[in-house]
Amino acid sequence: MSLITLAAPTPHAAPRSGFLWRLLRRPSGVVGLLLLAAIIAVAASAPLLYPDDPLDMVAQPFLWPGQDAAYPLGTDMMGRDIASGIFHGARVSLLIGAVAASVSLLIGTATGALAGYYGGRTDAALMRVTELFQTIPPFLFALAIVAILQPSIPTITLAIGITAWPSLARLVRAEVLKLRNGELVQASIALGAGDLRIIVLHILPNTLAPIIVSASILVASAILTESSLAFLGLGDPNVVSWGGMVGAGREVLRTDWYIATLPGLAIVVAVLALNLLGDGLNDALDPKGERRA
Amino acid sequence: MSEPVLQVRRLNVGFASRGRVTPAVRDLSFSVKAGETLAIVGESGSGKSLTAFALLGLVPPPGVVSGEAIALEGRNLIGLPEKRLREVRGARIAMIFQEPMTALNPVLTIGEQIMEVILEHERVSPRAAKARALELLAQVRIPDAERRFHDYPHRLSGGMRQRVVIAMALACAPAVLVADEPTTALDVTIQAQILDLIDTLKREHGTAVVLITHDLGVVAEHADRVLVLYAGRKVEERAARDLFAAPLHPYTRGLIAARPRLGGRGAVRARLTEIPGTVPGLAAMPDGCAFAPRCPVAEAACTLALPPLVPAGTGSVACLRVGDIHAAEPERLSVVHA
């Protein structure tokens, strides 16, 4: 076990504070971070502001936004409070986005690191599996898994997680290959370090920048995939989800377009926030970006 | 004198391709005693770095290492399983690389990196490892070790980084230290400091040092013995003092003559002499002496059979003409190529 933690909050850890500063100096980083913080605040405050089940019928249907002060965003065709749905939907989106992205991150990083580090047959075998996954359109793949396993939050998360990792695996593999034959790894081997220690301590921390950037994009695409699944009726029927709300509102799109549009905007904001954050992270983590700023 | 800690016998390193092995280092034998510095010199492609890598079992595929033995403190490293090798590397034999910039991990503090090496090989508490790491930083003359411990490599200068690399290599007090051109990437003024440091630490710990270099100036000042490699074979090995006073092999003479000198004996700035031609390719090695095509004193016999290594003074030399050269006129050959 390594006793050395990677995050070393020492007073000398200049790169860390410098990193946050670099992120905050970029408009995309600031806006992305603020939007994401707002969405997290919305998700966190949902049970306080709207303690009742967002799927309950609370008022007359088709209340337009602003028509009734008690329901600022109106109600849908079943008389459900749209504001409550968006608040509670944020929880579902963030939960599925974060967990599914973590699953992808785990599979993708492990596959890419092992393939890149060991090379040869290990690499060939792992990359064939990766290519196999890449030949199937990820969304259709996720759709099929959810359809077979019955839609629920765990199955949806799993389906998104195990279909989204191949591109990350390729990215990590390329980064690891670059370091694998470098002097750092050679020097570590010469000092008697084992494979696992080299990968965990010397290689992965040095590939962190692209991994962090793609993590934010992975969360965004997981939220999109979940919404799409819910839109097609393959969301968890017991929880409210932005995609599900859009799907339900689709039927009355011509007359009461706000029912589909408001949760749709929520999806746009969430995905935009994560993409902007990814952009900002990319610039902030790239040492060569310093000159462009 | 004490027993050699490292004994290499008939080492062969080659590259396998299409079922054939092209040899790059052939029949190389040498030994190093505790507290001694053996310099291995040669041009690019002579196999000196490959030899260094072979000592630690670091030759990457398609490289193939064979031979009688690389005996480190009596244990043969050739054919040792990777797991056993890992216990030896860093603990009993360690290596310093050319580039201190790329040999350190940019995301770990230098203190953490030194501790890593200690914790990898010894069952000690992190606290004890930290104390040792601080001690090592002081030993490699890094000022203000307590504070530097928490610095990341990018905050250090090249010379300081190489000191950290040396501290890591010496963390477990290895018997043998292999230094592969340890000062090539450094400023001239820093070079001397680093080599002096290696010398001092060698004396303090009784470490055997294998210094790989192409810089004869470095060799003259820091080596006890010198092994000259040409095209993968040892052509001369002698005590450094003797080798510089009276080089025997025409190639060694050429190397010494090709070295720029400040001041020197004459105030006249003479043109540097060069050795004409290049090292023959691995695949197109001549039958006889590999140096014969470039040698100013070669004769027909040189191209027919490989000259054997024969004892000469404090070492040995592989040249058919060495007797004649010596008898005839030693001075004539101090300029190999006019």
PDB file of all heavy atoms in Angstrom, chain A residues 3-5 12 183-184 186-187 189-194 197 201-202 205-206, chain B residues 56 58 86 89-90 97 99 102-103 105-107 112 116 120-121 126 168:
ATOM      1  N   LEU A   3       1.769   4.783   1.017  1.00  0.00           N
ATOM      2  CA  LEU A   3       1.417   5.620   2.153  1.00  0.00           C
ATOM      3  C   LEU A   3       1.452   7.089   1.763  1.00  0.00           C
ATOM      4  O   LEU A   3       1.220   7.967   2.565  1.00  0.00           O
ATOM      5  CB  LEU A   3       2.403   5.354   3.289  1.00  0.00           C
ATOM      6  CG  LEU A   3       2.184   3.963   3.845  1.00  0.00           C
ATOM      7  CD1 LEU A   3       3.478   3.316   4.240  1.00  0.00           C
ATOM      8  CD2 LEU A   3       1.213   4.025   5.010  1.00  0.00           C
ATOM      9  N   ILE A   4       1.748   7.304   0.517  1.00  0.00           N
ATOM     10  CA  ILE A   4       1.871   8.683   0.086  1.00  0.00           C
ATOM     11  C   ILE A   4       0.609   9.083  -0.645  1.00  0.00           C
ATOM     12  O   ILE A   4       0.218   8.455  -1.620  1.00  0.00           O
ATOM     13  CB  ILE A   4       3.097   8.826  -0.826  1.00  0.00           C
ATOM     14  CG1 ILE A   4       4.339   8.646   0.025  1.00  0.00           C
ATOM     15  CG2 ILE A   4       3.114  10.194  -1.475  1.00  0.00           C
ATOM     16  CD1 ILE A   4       5.556   8.364  -0.764  1.00  0.00           C
ATOM     17  N   THR A   5      -0.043  10.075  -0.146  1.00  0.00           N
ATOM     18  CA  THR A   5      -1.268  10.507  -0.810  1.00  0.00           C
ATOM     19  C   THR A   5      -0.914  11.404  -1.973  1.00  0.00           C
ATOM     20  O   THR A   5       0.085  12.112  -1.959  1.00  0.00           O
ATOM     21  CB  THR A   5      -2.158  11.286   0.168  1.00  0.00           C
ATOM     22  OG1 THR A   5      -1.342  12.224   0.849  1.00  0.00           O
ATOM     23  CG2 THR A   5      -2.798  10.371   1.173  1.00  0.00           C
ATOM     24  N   HIS A  12       3.616  24.261   0.113  1.00  0.00           N
ATOM     25  CA  HIS A  12       4.433  24.399  -1.090  1.00  0.00           C
ATOM     26  C   HIS A  12       3.718  23.932  -2.339  1.00  0.00           C
ATOM     27  O   HIS A  12       4.261  23.968  -3.405  1.00  0.00           O
ATOM     28  CB  HIS A  12       5.724  23.609  -0.940  1.00  0.00           C
ATOM     29  CG  HIS A  12       6.609  24.164   0.118  1.00  0.00           C
ATOM     30  ND1 HIS A  12       7.528  25.149  -0.127  1.00  0.00           N
ATOM     31  CD2 HIS A  12       6.684  23.890   1.442  1.00  0.00           C
ATOM     32  CE1 HIS A  12       8.149  25.458   0.989  1.00  0.00           C
ATOM     33  NE2 HIS A  12       7.661  24.702   1.966  1.00  0.00           N
ATOM     34  N   GLU A 183      11.738   8.005 -19.617  1.00  0.00           N
ATOM     35  CA  GLU A 183      12.779   7.767 -18.636  1.00  0.00           C
ATOM     36  C   GLU A 183      12.227   7.615 -17.223  1.00  0.00           C
ATOM     37  O   GLU A 183      12.806   6.901 -16.409  1.00  0.00           O
ATOM     38  CB  GLU A 183      13.810   8.900 -18.680  1.00  0.00           C
ATOM     39  CG  GLU A 183      15.222   8.358 -18.763  1.00  0.00           C
ATOM     40  CD  GLU A 183      16.267   9.432 -18.957  1.00  0.00           C
ATOM     41  OE1 GLU A 183      16.145  10.503 -18.353  1.00  0.00           O
ATOM     42  OE2 GLU A 183      17.216   9.181 -19.714  1.00  0.00           O
ATOM     43  N   LEU A 184      11.088   8.278 -16.950  1.00  0.00           N
ATOM     44  CA  LEU A 184      10.523   8.182 -15.608  1.00  0.00           C
ATOM     45  C   LEU A 184      10.211   6.731 -15.259  1.00  0.00           C
ATOM     46  O   LEU A 184      10.569   6.241 -14.184  1.00  0.00           O
ATOM     47  CB  LEU A 184       9.252   9.033 -15.512  1.00  0.00           C
ATOM     48  CG  LEU A 184       8.424   8.855 -14.242  1.00  0.00           C
ATOM     49  CD1 LEU A 184       9.235   9.195 -13.008  1.00  0.00           C
ATOM     50  CD2 LEU A 184       7.178   9.712 -14.298  1.00  0.00           C
ATOM     51  N   GLN A 186      11.399   4.057 -16.748  1.00  0.00           N
ATOM     52  CA  GLN A 186      12.641   3.301 -16.738  1.00  0.00           C
ATOM     53  C   GLN A 186      13.394   3.501 -15.426  1.00  0.00           C
ATOM     54  O   GLN A 186      13.886   2.547 -14.819  1.00  0.00           O
ATOM     55  CB  GLN A 186      13.513   3.771 -17.897  1.00  0.00           C
ATOM     56  CG  GLN A 186      14.395   2.674 -18.418  1.00  0.00           C
ATOM     57  CD  GLN A 186      14.470   2.716 -19.918  1.00  0.00           C
ATOM     58  OE1 GLN A 186      14.661   3.791 -20.483  1.00  0.00           O
ATOM     59  NE2 GLN A 186      14.316   1.602 -20.558  1.00  0.00           N
ATOM     60  N   ALA A 187      13.435   4.753 -14.983  1.00  0.00           N
ATOM     61  CA  ALA A 187      14.126   5.045 -13.730  1.00  0.00           C
ATOM     62  C   ALA A 187      13.426   4.345 -12.565  1.00  0.00           C
ATOM     63  O   ALA A 187      14.083   3.828 -11.660  1.00  0.00           O
ATOM     64  CB  ALA A 187      14.162   6.557 -13.498  1.00  0.00           C
ATOM     65  N   ILE A 189      11.689   1.560 -12.696  1.00  0.00           N
ATOM     66  CA  ILE A 189      12.003   0.131 -12.772  1.00  0.00           C
ATOM     67  C   ILE A 189      13.412  -0.097 -12.238  1.00  0.00           C
ATOM     68  O   ILE A 189      13.664  -1.015 -11.469  1.00  0.00           O
ATOM     69  CB  ILE A 189      11.892  -0.385 -14.219  1.00  0.00           C
ATOM     70  CG1 ILE A 189      10.463  -0.254 -14.727  1.00  0.00           C
ATOM     71  CG2 ILE A 189      12.326  -1.845 -14.299  1.00  0.00           C
ATOM     72  CD1 ILE A 189      10.281  -0.636 -16.175  1.00  0.00           C
ATOM     73  N   ALA A 190      14.327   0.802 -12.627  1.00  0.00           N
ATOM     74  CA  ALA A 190      15.714   0.646 -12.195  1.00  0.00           C
ATOM     75  C   ALA A 190      15.841   0.753 -10.682  1.00  0.00           C
ATOM     76  O   ALA A 190      16.786   0.242 -10.098  1.00  0.00           O
ATOM     77  CB  ALA A 190      16.587   1.704 -12.863  1.00  0.00           C
ATOM     78  N   LEU A 191      14.875   1.417 -10.055  1.00  0.00           N
ATOM     79  CA  LEU A 191      14.918   1.534  -8.597  1.00  0.00           C
ATOM     80  C   LEU A 191      14.090   0.439  -7.928  1.00  0.00           C
ATOM     81  O   LEU A 191      13.863   0.476  -6.724  1.00  0.00           O
ATOM     82  CB  LEU A 191      14.440   2.909  -8.160  1.00  0.00           C
ATOM     83  CG  LEU A 191      15.422   4.032  -8.472  1.00  0.00           C
ATOM     84  CD1 LEU A 191      14.794   5.387  -8.251  1.00  0.00           C
ATOM     85  CD2 LEU A 191      16.681   3.897  -7.621  1.00  0.00           C
ATOM     86  N   GLY A 192      13.600  -0.494  -8.720  1.00  0.00           N
ATOM     87  CA  GLY A 192      12.952  -1.661  -8.139  1.00  0.00           C
ATOM     88  C   GLY A 192      11.461  -1.539  -7.931  1.00  0.00           C
ATOM     89  O   GLY A 192      10.875  -2.351  -7.225  1.00  0.00           O
ATOM     90  N   ALA A 193      10.809  -0.532  -8.535  1.00  0.00           N
ATOM     91  CA  ALA A 193       9.370  -0.398  -8.348  1.00  0.00           C
ATOM     92  C   ALA A 193       8.626  -1.467  -9.153  1.00  0.00           C
ATOM     93  O   ALA A 193       9.055  -1.847 -10.229  1.00  0.00           O
ATOM     94  CB  ALA A 193       8.911   0.996  -8.785  1.00  0.00           C
ATOM     95  N   GLY A 194       7.518  -1.948  -8.602  1.00  0.00           N
ATOM     96  CA  GLY A 194       6.713  -2.952  -9.285  1.00  0.00           C
ATOM     97  C   GLY A 194       5.744  -2.311 -10.264  1.00  0.00           C
ATOM     98  O   GLY A 194       5.550  -1.107 -10.258  1.00  0.00           O
ATOM     99  N   ARG A 197       2.728  -0.306  -8.770  1.00  0.00           N
ATOM    100  CA  ARG A 197       3.179   0.951  -8.184  1.00  0.00           C
ATOM    101  C   ARG A 197       3.521   1.962  -9.276  1.00  0.00           C
ATOM    102  O   ARG A 197       3.211   3.136  -9.172  1.00  0.00           O
ATOM    103  CB  ARG A 197       4.406   0.680  -7.312  1.00  0.00           C
ATOM    104  CG  ARG A 197       4.803   1.840  -6.460  1.00  0.00           C
ATOM    105  CD  ARG A 197       5.812   1.408  -5.438  1.00  0.00           C
ATOM    106  NE  ARG A 197       5.171   0.683  -4.360  1.00  0.00           N
ATOM    107  CZ  ARG A 197       5.353   0.985  -3.076  1.00  0.00           C
ATOM    108  NH1 ARG A 197       6.154   1.961  -2.752  1.00  0.00           N
ATOM    109  NH2 ARG A 197       4.757   0.308  -2.134  1.00  0.00           N
ATOM    110  N   LEU A 201       1.288   5.174  -9.292  1.00  0.00           N
ATOM    111  CA  LEU A 201       2.007   6.314  -8.722  1.00  0.00           C
ATOM    112  C   LEU A 201       2.668   7.194  -9.767  1.00  0.00           C
ATOM    113  O   LEU A 201       2.739   8.409  -9.617  1.00  0.00           O
ATOM    114  CB  LEU A 201       3.069   5.782  -7.758  1.00  0.00           C
ATOM    115  CG  LEU A 201       3.413   6.675  -6.584  1.00  0.00           C
ATOM    116  CD1 LEU A 201       2.178   6.955  -5.761  1.00  0.00           C
ATOM    117  CD2 LEU A 201       4.476   6.013  -5.738  1.00  0.00           C
ATOM    118  N   HIS A 202       3.182   6.565 -10.810  1.00  0.00           N
ATOM    119  CA  HIS A 202       3.975   7.355 -11.746  1.00  0.00           C
ATOM    120  C   HIS A 202       3.271   7.625 -13.075  1.00  0.00           C
ATOM    121  O   HIS A 202       3.518   8.636 -13.698  1.00  0.00           O
ATOM    122  CB  HIS A 202       5.314   6.667 -12.016  1.00  0.00           C
ATOM    123  CG  HIS A 202       6.176   6.572 -10.792  1.00  0.00           C
ATOM    124  ND1 HIS A 202       6.500   7.670 -10.041  1.00  0.00           N
ATOM    125  CD2 HIS A 202       6.745   5.525 -10.177  1.00  0.00           C
ATOM    126  CE1 HIS A 202       7.256   7.299  -9.024  1.00  0.00           C
ATOM    127  NE2 HIS A 202       7.409   5.997  -9.080  1.00  0.00           N
ATOM    128  N   PRO A 205      -1.094   9.484 -12.420  1.00  0.00           N
ATOM    129  CA  PRO A 205      -1.131  10.903 -12.034  1.00  0.00           C
ATOM    130  C   PRO A 205      -0.652  11.825 -13.155  1.00  0.00           C
ATOM    131  O   PRO A 205      -1.083  12.961 -13.245  1.00  0.00           O
ATOM    132  CB  PRO A 205      -0.181  10.974 -10.836  1.00  0.00           C
ATOM    133  CG  PRO A 205      -0.154   9.607 -10.299  1.00  0.00           C
ATOM    134  CD  PRO A 205      -0.314   8.682 -11.460  1.00  0.00           C
ATOM    135  N   ASN A 206       0.206  11.307 -14.019  1.00  0.00           N
ATOM    136  CA  ASN A 206       0.707  12.142 -15.109  1.00  0.00           C
ATOM    137  C   ASN A 206      -0.199  12.132 -16.330  1.00  0.00           C
ATOM    138  O   ASN A 206       0.085  12.816 -17.308  1.00  0.00           O
ATOM    139  CB  ASN A 206       2.126  11.715 -15.483  1.00  0.00           C
ATOM    140  CG  ASN A 206       3.126  12.211 -14.462  1.00  0.00           C
ATOM    141  OD1 ASN A 206       3.271  13.400 -14.247  1.00  0.00           O
ATOM    142  ND2 ASN A 206       3.781  11.289 -13.791  1.00  0.00           N
TER     143      ASN A 206
ATOM    144  N   LEU B  56      21.255  -4.072 -15.110  1.00  0.00           N
ATOM    145  CA  LEU B  56      20.070  -4.025 -14.264  1.00  0.00           C
ATOM    146  C   LEU B  56      18.929  -4.873 -14.823  1.00  0.00           C
ATOM    147  O   LEU B  56      17.814  -4.810 -14.336  1.00  0.00           O
ATOM    148  CB  LEU B  56      19.587  -2.586 -14.090  1.00  0.00           C
ATOM    149  CG  LEU B  56      20.397  -1.744 -13.124  1.00  0.00           C
ATOM    150  CD1 LEU B  56      21.394  -0.904 -13.863  1.00  0.00           C
ATOM    151  CD2 LEU B  56      19.496  -0.885 -12.260  1.00  0.00           C
ATOM    152  N   LEU B  58      17.502  -4.420 -17.667  1.00  0.00           N
ATOM    153  CA  LEU B  58      16.534  -3.461 -18.202  1.00  0.00           C
ATOM    154  C   LEU B  58      16.520  -3.420 -19.717  1.00  0.00           C
ATOM    155  O   LEU B  58      15.927  -2.529 -20.296  1.00  0.00           O
ATOM    156  CB  LEU B  58      16.863  -2.056 -17.692  1.00  0.00           C
ATOM    157  CG  LEU B  58      16.522  -1.718 -16.255  1.00  0.00           C
ATOM    158  CD1 LEU B  58      17.008  -0.323 -15.920  1.00  0.00           C
ATOM    159  CD2 LEU B  58      15.032  -1.814 -16.023  1.00  0.00           C
ATOM    160  N   ARG B  86      13.575  -7.424  -9.257  1.00  0.00           N
ATOM    161  CA  ARG B  86      12.994  -6.212  -8.700  1.00  0.00           C
ATOM    162  C   ARG B  86      13.511  -5.972  -7.280  1.00  0.00           C
ATOM    163  O   ARG B  86      13.671  -4.845  -6.851  1.00  0.00           O
ATOM    164  CB  ARG B  86      11.470  -6.325  -8.698  1.00  0.00           C
ATOM    165  CG  ARG B  86      10.793  -4.992  -8.722  1.00  0.00           C
ATOM    166  CD  ARG B  86       9.315  -5.141  -8.598  1.00  0.00           C
ATOM    167  NE  ARG B  86       8.734  -5.911  -9.680  1.00  0.00           N
ATOM    168  CZ  ARG B  86       7.640  -6.653  -9.534  1.00  0.00           C
ATOM    169  NH1 ARG B  86       7.025  -6.727  -8.381  1.00  0.00           N
ATOM    170  NH2 ARG B  86       7.165  -7.318 -10.555  1.00  0.00           N
ATOM    171  N   ARG B  89      17.143  -4.540  -7.829  1.00  0.00           N
ATOM    172  CA  ARG B  89      17.205  -3.187  -8.383  1.00  0.00           C
ATOM    173  C   ARG B  89      16.826  -2.157  -7.327  1.00  0.00           C
ATOM    174  O   ARG B  89      15.817  -2.293  -6.657  1.00  0.00           O
ATOM    175  CB  ARG B  89      16.200  -3.040  -9.528  1.00  0.00           C
ATOM    176  CG  ARG B  89      16.550  -3.767 -10.773  1.00  0.00           C
ATOM    177  CD  ARG B  89      15.497  -3.424 -11.808  1.00  0.00           C
ATOM    178  NE  ARG B  89      15.489  -4.380 -12.881  1.00  0.00           N
ATOM    179  CZ  ARG B  89      14.389  -4.926 -13.379  1.00  0.00           C
ATOM    180  NH1 ARG B  89      13.216  -4.612 -12.882  1.00  0.00           N
ATOM    181  NH2 ARG B  89      14.461  -5.778 -14.362  1.00  0.00           N
ATOM    182  N   GLY B  90      17.624  -1.133  -7.250  1.00  0.00           N
ATOM    183  CA  GLY B  90      17.334  -0.083  -6.282  1.00  0.00           C
ATOM    184  C   GLY B  90      17.879  -0.428  -4.907  1.00  0.00           C
ATOM    185  O   GLY B  90      18.204   0.454  -4.130  1.00  0.00           O
ATOM    186  N   PHE B  97      20.274   8.201 -14.396  1.00  0.00           N
ATOM    187  CA  PHE B  97      20.057   8.416 -15.819  1.00  0.00           C
ATOM    188  C   PHE B  97      20.580   9.769 -16.271  1.00  0.00           C
ATOM    189  O   PHE B  97      20.895  10.633 -15.459  1.00  0.00           O
ATOM    190  CB  PHE B  97      18.571   8.309 -16.136  1.00  0.00           C
ATOM    191  CG  PHE B  97      18.064   6.910 -16.061  1.00  0.00           C
ATOM    192  CD1 PHE B  97      17.755   6.331 -14.844  1.00  0.00           C
ATOM    193  CD2 PHE B  97      17.930   6.162 -17.204  1.00  0.00           C
ATOM    194  CE1 PHE B  97      17.302   5.028 -14.779  1.00  0.00           C
ATOM    195  CE2 PHE B  97      17.482   4.869 -17.151  1.00  0.00           C
ATOM    196  CZ  PHE B  97      17.165   4.295 -15.928  1.00  0.00           C
ATOM    197  N   GLU B  99      18.986  12.221 -17.949  1.00  0.00           N
ATOM    198  CA  GLU B  99      18.105  13.372 -17.853  1.00  0.00           C
ATOM    199  C   GLU B  99      17.423  13.443 -16.500  1.00  0.00           C
ATOM    200  O   GLU B  99      16.442  12.759 -16.270  1.00  0.00           O
ATOM    201  CB  GLU B  99      17.017  13.272 -18.930  1.00  0.00           C
ATOM    202  CG  GLU B  99      17.375  13.896 -20.254  1.00  0.00           C
ATOM    203  CD  GLU B  99      17.330  15.398 -20.216  1.00  0.00           C
ATOM    204  OE1 GLU B  99      16.871  15.972 -19.194  1.00  0.00           O
ATOM    205  OE2 GLU B  99      17.764  16.013 -21.200  1.00  0.00           O
ATOM    206  N   THR B 102      13.493  14.223 -16.725  1.00  0.00           N
ATOM    207  CA  THR B 102      12.456  13.249 -17.055  1.00  0.00           C
ATOM    208  C   THR B 102      12.486  12.033 -16.150  1.00  0.00           C
ATOM    209  O   THR B 102      11.596  11.208 -16.205  1.00  0.00           O
ATOM    210  CB  THR B 102      12.602  12.796 -18.512  1.00  0.00           C
ATOM    211  OG1 THR B 102      13.954  12.381 -18.712  1.00  0.00           O
ATOM    212  CG2 THR B 102      12.289  13.908 -19.472  1.00  0.00           C
ATOM    213  N   ALA B 103      13.520  11.899 -15.318  1.00  0.00           N
ATOM    214  CA  ALA B 103      13.589  10.721 -14.459  1.00  0.00           C
ATOM    215  C   ALA B 103      12.824  10.929 -13.158  1.00  0.00           C
ATOM    216  O   ALA B 103      12.625   9.990 -12.403  1.00  0.00           O
ATOM    217  CB  ALA B 103      15.044  10.363 -14.160  1.00  0.00           C
ATOM    218  N   ASN B 105       9.281  12.193 -11.096  1.00  0.00           N
ATOM    219  CA  ASN B 105       7.843  12.307 -11.304  1.00  0.00           C
ATOM    220  C   ASN B 105       7.383  13.729 -10.972  1.00  0.00           C
ATOM    221  O   ASN B 105       7.507  14.167  -9.840  1.00  0.00           O
ATOM    222  CB  ASN B 105       7.136  11.298 -10.400  1.00  0.00           C
ATOM    223  CG  ASN B 105       5.659  11.209 -10.698  1.00  0.00           C
ATOM    224  OD1 ASN B 105       5.073  12.115 -11.276  1.00  0.00           O
ATOM    225  ND2 ASN B 105       5.054  10.111 -10.313  1.00  0.00           N
ATOM    226  N   PRO B 106       6.832  14.447 -11.974  1.00  0.00           N
ATOM    227  CA  PRO B 106       6.477  15.846 -11.735  1.00  0.00           C
ATOM    228  C   PRO B 106       5.338  16.049 -10.732  1.00  0.00           C
ATOM    229  O   PRO B 106       5.189  17.150 -10.225  1.00  0.00           O
ATOM    230  CB  PRO B 106       6.077  16.347 -13.125  1.00  0.00           C
ATOM    231  CG  PRO B 106       5.785  15.128 -13.925  1.00  0.00           C
ATOM    232  CD  PRO B 106       6.625  14.042 -13.365  1.00  0.00           C
ATOM    233  N   VAL B 107       4.559  15.023 -10.456  1.00  0.00           N
ATOM    234  CA  VAL B 107       3.413  15.246  -9.566  1.00  0.00           C
ATOM    235  C   VAL B 107       3.677  14.814  -8.123  1.00  0.00           C
ATOM    236  O   VAL B 107       2.801  14.939  -7.279  1.00  0.00           O
ATOM    237  CB  VAL B 107       2.127  14.565 -10.082  1.00  0.00           C
ATOM    238  CG1 VAL B 107       1.774  15.073 -11.461  1.00  0.00           C
ATOM    239  CG2 VAL B 107       2.259  13.066 -10.084  1.00  0.00           C
ATOM    240  N   GLU B 112       8.723  12.672  -1.214  1.00  0.00           N
ATOM    241  CA  GLU B 112       7.869  11.500  -1.402  1.00  0.00           C
ATOM    242  C   GLU B 112       8.552  10.477  -2.296  1.00  0.00           C
ATOM    243  O   GLU B 112       8.463   9.276  -2.070  1.00  0.00           O
ATOM    244  CB  GLU B 112       6.537  11.920  -2.031  1.00  0.00           C
ATOM    245  CG  GLU B 112       5.624  12.658  -1.087  1.00  0.00           C
ATOM    246  CD  GLU B 112       4.432  13.288  -1.789  1.00  0.00           C
ATOM    247  OE1 GLU B 112       4.492  13.508  -3.023  1.00  0.00           O
ATOM    248  OE2 GLU B 112       3.450  13.572  -1.110  1.00  0.00           O
ATOM    249  N   GLU B 116       9.497   6.727  -1.334  1.00  0.00           N
ATOM    250  CA  GLU B 116       8.974   5.609  -2.119  1.00  0.00           C
ATOM    251  C   GLU B 116      10.001   4.495  -2.255  1.00  0.00           C
ATOM    252  O   GLU B 116       9.700   3.319  -2.059  1.00  0.00           O
ATOM    253  CB  GLU B 116       8.623   6.082  -3.531  1.00  0.00           C
ATOM    254  CG  GLU B 116       7.188   6.314  -3.827  1.00  0.00           C
ATOM    255  CD  GLU B 116       6.289   5.226  -3.327  1.00  0.00           C
ATOM    256  OE1 GLU B 116       6.445   4.040  -3.702  1.00  0.00           O
ATOM    257  OE2 GLU B 116       5.421   5.563  -2.525  1.00  0.00           O
ATOM    258  N   GLU B 120       9.705   0.831  -0.685  1.00  0.00           N
ATOM    259  CA  GLU B 120       9.591  -0.283  -1.617  1.00  0.00           C
ATOM    260  C   GLU B 120      10.473  -1.455  -1.182  1.00  0.00           C
ATOM    261  O   GLU B 120      10.117  -2.618  -1.318  1.00  0.00           O
ATOM    262  CB  GLU B 120       9.991   0.188  -3.020  1.00  0.00           C
ATOM    263  CG  GLU B 120      10.021  -0.886  -4.091  1.00  0.00           C
ATOM    264  CD  GLU B 120       8.635  -1.188  -4.636  1.00  0.00           C
ATOM    265  OE1 GLU B 120       7.904  -0.232  -4.934  1.00  0.00           O
ATOM    266  OE2 GLU B 120       8.286  -2.373  -4.741  1.00  0.00           O
ATOM    267  N   HIS B 121      11.654  -1.133  -0.656  1.00  0.00           N
ATOM    268  CA  HIS B 121      12.626  -2.196  -0.399  1.00  0.00           C
ATOM    269  C   HIS B 121      12.759  -2.592   1.057  1.00  0.00           C
ATOM    270  O   HIS B 121      13.289  -3.641   1.363  1.00  0.00           O
ATOM    271  CB  HIS B 121      14.006  -1.761  -0.921  1.00  0.00           C
ATOM    272  CG  HIS B 121      14.057  -1.702  -2.408  1.00  0.00           C
ATOM    273  ND1 HIS B 121      14.060  -2.832  -3.186  1.00  0.00           N
ATOM    274  CD2 HIS B 121      14.081  -0.660  -3.271  1.00  0.00           C
ATOM    275  CE1 HIS B 121      14.095  -2.470  -4.453  1.00  0.00           C
ATOM    276  NE2 HIS B 121      14.102  -1.173  -4.536  1.00  0.00           N
ATOM    277  N   PRO B 126       6.852   4.858   7.791  1.00  0.00           N
ATOM    278  CA  PRO B 126       6.975   6.076   6.989  1.00  0.00           C
ATOM    279  C   PRO B 126       7.787   7.138   7.711  1.00  0.00           C
ATOM    280  O   PRO B 126       8.527   7.893   7.086  1.00  0.00           O
ATOM    281  CB  PRO B 126       5.534   6.527   6.807  1.00  0.00           C
ATOM    282  CG  PRO B 126       4.714   5.306   6.989  1.00  0.00           C
ATOM    283  CD  PRO B 126       5.450   4.437   7.952  1.00  0.00           C
ATOM    284  N   MET B 168      17.968   9.207  -4.560  1.00  0.00           N
ATOM    285  CA  MET B 168      17.065   8.069  -4.735  1.00  0.00           C
ATOM    286  C   MET B 168      17.848   6.803  -5.025  1.00  0.00           C
ATOM    287  O   MET B 168      17.544   5.725  -4.519  1.00  0.00           O
ATOM    288  CB  MET B 168      16.075   8.346  -5.879  1.00  0.00           C
ATOM    289  CG  MET B 168      15.021   9.363  -5.512  1.00  0.00           C
ATOM    290  SD  MET B 168      14.088   9.915  -6.952  1.00  0.00           S
ATOM    291  CE  MET B 168      13.135   8.449  -7.314  1.00  0.00           C
TER     292      MET B 168
END
